[in-house]
Amino acid sequence: MDVHNVPGVKARDVAEAHQKDLLHQQEYGCRAITYWVDEKRETIFCLVEAPDKEAVEEMHRNAHGLIPNKIIEVSSTVVESFLGRIYDPPKAGISDEGLKIFEDPSFRILLVSKITDPVLLQYKFGKEKANGLLNLHNNIIRKNLSQYGGREVEHRGSGFIISFTSAAKAVSCALAIQKDLSAGWQDMPETEADEIEFRIAINAGEPVGKTNNLFGDTLQLAGHMCAIVKNSQIAIASPVKELVSKDFFQNEGSDFLALTPHDETLLELLFSKLDENWQNPDFDIDEYCQSTAMSTSQLYRKTISLTGLSPNLLLKEFRLEKAKELMKKQRYNISQITFDSGFTSPSYFTKCFKKKYGLLPMAYIDLLH
């Protein structure tokens, strides 16, 4: 999939350019499958089957001269999950010249949900009860996404990615999910209910951005927002808030964490530096300050205000989550996990893991495998 940023672009111009691609595609071993055009945002996204990125560029260059701003590799299945199609819309209009003309924006609102790690739920509640809670959770989410016109993109056991074309429907779906889950868990003892964390973040964006993954930028920020939002609260990114009526948030204010663009930039900076350095045992608070161009007091103040955690604790919890991800990939020994996740002492890693999750790392691995 490639992206073209074209000021003043019109659907008819894109239809003509696509027709030229079709005439030249075989020369470059390509198949121009379809495209999405958004006149308002002045963007074009083309889906092309091709041997490599260079072939796509050459096809476009020689067909009409519109060189892509960026090209990424994608799976057609994933594209369809996010965007709802991988071929031209069946109801596209045909001009008198036989040109298929349509405007179909690729901008999507993505709802990302996270529930407590299923392995930890199994440890706390037993396998049967944990499976019952997860099935209830899955059924409630799927019922509501269907009701509000969402598309299930991915489900990895501990959460969902859902794609919407309407911001209002995405937010309404999130509220309905929260309400239904609260009702579903209300018969549980309060101490047990407190053991279940459920969070939602909603962001919006285009398929191709800075990262090399489809909707990677949008999902990355949504994931960071899920990490900082309070239990049973919904984090709303600024592009989504702009698309939804202000009255909506005034009426439901306590259910939301609404981030400003400045908050989002800071959040991405904090987590990007963690993501780059978490495996480096020498990465400490001094290094964190240097990488973010902040003083110790600035970093502490901003990290506390945005995440509720000190920089030290944020770094430690980030490493612990990454350690769990390593455990899921293969059966590592504790020493290897310790050093691969940036800790310097297996005993300290074990102590931190036990304090955070309530069980020893080896017990987690045994449940996992």
Side-chain angles (χ1 to χ4, degrees):
M1 178 169 278
D2 63 39
V3 56
H4 305 259
N5 299 306
V6 184
V9 66
K10 298 298 178 186
R12 184 181 183 87
D13 300 333
V14 183
E16 290 174 348
H18 182 65
Q19 192 173 59
K20 292 175 182 177
D21 281 334
L22 295 175
L23 292 173
H24 290 83
Q25 60 184 1
Q26 290 184 346
E27 300 169 27
Y28 304 95
C30 296
R31 184 165 71 99
I33 302 172
T34 190
Y35 61 87
W36 289 260
V37 57
D38 189 335
E39 293 182 351
K40 179 182 175 182
R41 296 181 177 87
E42 301 181 322
T43 55
I44 311 161
F45 294 86
C46 303
L47 185 64
V48 183
E49 188 176 13
D52 50 47
K53 297 178 182 180
E54 290 72 24
V56 176
E57 286 187 348
E58 287 301 309
M59 179 187 72
H60 284 326
R61 179 181 287 110
N62 288 283
H64 44 68
L66 287 175
I67 307 303
N69 294 83
K70 185 170 182 176
I71 305 172
I72 64 170
E73 293 183 30
V74 296
S75 154
S76 59
T77 305
V78 176
V79 171
E80 187 170 16
S81 297
F82 276 109
L83 296 173
R85 64 179 181 87
I86 55 171
Y87 301 108
D88 292 346
K91 295 182 180 179
I94 307 294
S95 71
D96 293 339
E97 306 96 324
L99 199 62
K100 190 185 288 185
I101 302 174
F102 57 88
E103 183 185 4
D104 184 21
S106 60
F107 188 83
R108 291 292 183 270
I109 295 83
L110 303 183
L111 184 156
V112 174
S113 74
K114 299 285 184 185
I115 192 170
T116 303
D117 184 337
V119 178
L120 297 179
L121 284 178
Q122 182 181 335
Y123 173 75
K124 291 169 181 175
F125 297 113
K127 190 171 184 179
E128 185 177 347
K129 188 168 184 177
N131 286 339
L133 290 169
L134 290 169
N135 287 334
L136 174 66
H137 158 266
N138 296 347
N139 292 337
I140 284 174
I141 289 184
R142 289 187 170 121
K143 179 197 78 172
N144 282 290
L145 76 86
S146 176
Q147 182 177 339
Y148 288 95
R151 295 184 62 86
E152 182 179 329
V153 175
E154 186 177 278
H155 173 230
R156 289 187 174 177
S158 59
F160 283 80
I161 298 172
I162 304 167
S163 174
F164 294 86
T165 56
S166 162
K169 288 186 177 180
V171 174
S172 296
C173 182
L175 286 168
I177 289 169
Q178 292 283 38
K179 182 179 179 181
D180 287 352
L181 281 175
S182 295
W185 292 335
Q186 68 181 358
D187 293 333
M188 295 177 63
E190 189 174 338
T191 52
E192 290 188 358
D194 289 343
E195 295 287 342
I196 307 172
E197 288 192 354
F198 181 73
R199 303 172 180 185
I200 290 177
I202 308 174
N203 193 14
E206 299 278 17
V208 182
K210 295 176 185 176
T211 72
N212 289 320
N213 298 319
L214 197 68
F215 287 99
D217 297 8
T218 308
L219 291 172
Q220 186 170 273
L221 178 57
H224 298 337
M225 291 192 299
C226 262
I228 67 167
V229 71
K230 293 178 182 177
N231 192 18
S232 297
Q233 200 178 32
I234 301 164
I236 303 288
S238 56
V240 179
K241 189 174 182 181
E242 288 175 9
L243 293 168
V244 180
S245 167
K246 291 181 180 178
D247 294 338
F248 197 107
F249 295 103
Q250 288 174 355
N251 296 336
E252 305 282 354
S254 61
D255 293 309
F256 295 105
L257 168 67
L259 298 183
T260 65
H262 176 74
D263 288 339
E264 292 164 2
T265 301
L266 177 58
L267 189 65
E268 288 184 303
L269 174 65
L270 292 174
F271 276 92
S272 68
K273 297 308 175 185
L274 293 179
D275 205 40
E276 290 168 12
N277 296 286
W278 63 276
Q279 289 185 291
N280 177 8
D282 296 325
F283 184 75
D284 56 15
I285 298 308
D286 288 339
E287 291 281 336
Y288 203 179
C289 290
Q290 289 180 23
S291 66
T292 57
M294 295 186 208
S295 67
T296 304
S297 60
Q298 277 182 313
L299 180 66
Y300 186 88
R301 187 173 65 252
K302 293 188 176 185
T303 305
I304 285 282
S305 67
L306 193 57
T307 70
L309 302 174
S310 68
N312 264 319
L313 193 53
L314 182 65
L315 173 58
K316 183 166 67 176
E317 294 206 352
F318 192 88
R319 282 174 165 153
L320 288 171
E321 283 296 312
K322 290 294 186 182
K324 283 206 292 131
E325 290 179 18
L326 291 175
M327 293 176 191
K328 291 174 182 177
K329 291 178 180 177
Q330 66 185 67
R331 196 182 181 102
Y332 290 86
N333 63 50
I334 300 304
S335 293
Q336 189 176 358
I337 294 167
T338 296
F339 300 118
D340 285 353
S341 55
F343 288 89
T344 55
S345 160
S347 60
Y348 179 65
F349 166 70
T350 299
K351 178 183 176 182
C352 293
F353 194 96
K354 177 73 163 60
K355 183 177 180 181
K356 171 70 176 173
Y357 302 116
L359 74 169
L360 295 171
M362 203 64 228
Y364 183 89
I365 291 174
D366 289 340
L367 283 170
L368 189 63
H369 297 286

